[in-house]
Amino acid sequence: PTLIASLVSTLNRLASPATPGSVLVTTATGKFFSNGFALSWARAAASASAATDRLQFMVDSLKPVLAAIMSLPMPTIVAINGHASAAGFLLAVSHDYVLMRSDRGVLYMPEVDLGLPLPGYFAAVIRSKIRSPAVMRDLVLGGAKLTAAEAVRMGIVDSAHDSAESTVEAAMRLGEQLARRKWVGEVYAEIRKSLYPDACKVLGLTQKAIVSKI
């Protein structure tokens, strides 16, 4: 919950005001990018019902994070430095561009293995970002663990790199290229929303009318 709250605060701070030429690059350090919700924290509750409440609290708390990323008025890039599973996978693919190291780490949706239902907004984001029914089946219903090379072939990841350092370096180079375009952030955000209407609707995002200046 502390990390989720920090992400919400940071993203809200980035969103306003957004300077043309801004770009977000997200990464982590260590073996994992994110293994998702802290199930150990939920299980440490005093009772089974309290554990369920803790898990639901995390599910509810992450939704604004994904909404903030998908409405951020700038291009977004994620450099996946290690394992990205469950909520961590959702956090990664909510970005516009996904880069991943090839020497370590997998993408994994473990809910079917853990016996946990898939939250509705999880499914909506996955459907919006992964257009192949076969890939969605293998990832979500099959619990497949995908390497960077496999994820690139499936269209989930844009590019794979030799190490965590080279992945971040590639993400920064891409960010610099995008920043030079100096796009108007508000327009960029609204175009992104138009690309993923179903996910944005479930996340509570609505499109704003912008007057064009010709």
Side-chain angles (χ1 to χ4, degrees), residues 41-42 45 47-60:
W41 176 73
S47 66
S49 62
T52 299
D53 290 342
R54 281 189 173 190
L55 179 58
Q56 188 60 50
F57 175 78
M58 288 188 286
V59 170
D60 295 340

Side-chain angles (χ1 to χ4, degrees), residues 96-118:
D96 298 326
Y97 300 90
V98 182
L99 283 62
M100 185 176 176
R101 67 185 295 180
S102 58
D103 63 322
R104 178 186 295 177
V106 295
L107 303 181
Y108 176 41
M109 289 299 292
E111 283 78 3
V112 68
D113 293 327
L114 295 174
L116 295 173
L118 194 69

Side-chain angles (χ1 to χ4, degrees), residues 8 16 23 33 42 127 143 160 165 203-204 213:
V8 170
S16 181
V23 177
F33 172 74
R127 285 195 304 269
E165 292 77 16
L203 292 172
K213 297 179 181 179

Side-chain angles (χ1 to χ4, degrees), residues 7-19 22-26 64-78 91 94-96 129 183-193 196 200 203 205-206 208:
L7 289 172
V8 170
S9 175
T10 300
L11 290 166
N12 287 341
R13 192 165 63 247
L14 290 174
S16 181
T19 304
S22 298
V23 177
L24 171 70
V25 176
T26 304
V65 174
L66 301 189
I69 292 174
M70 294 191 70
S71 61
L72 203 63
M74 63 188 71
T76 60
I77 306 166
V78 63
L91 179 65
S94 64
H95 291 71
D96 298 326
K129 292 290 187 168
W183 288 312
V184 177
E186 186 179 19
V187 173
Y188 188 92
E190 294 308 311
I191 292 175
R192 184 197 289 117
K193 289 178 190 176
Y196 309 111
C200 288
L203 292 172
L205 300 174
T206 57
K208 302 175 184 177

Side-chain angles (χ1 to χ4, degrees), residues 29-43:
T29 57
K31 182 178 179 180
F32 305 104
F33 172 74
S34 170
N35 263 345
F37 296 139
L39 298 183
S40 58
W41 176 73
R43 292 170 181 144

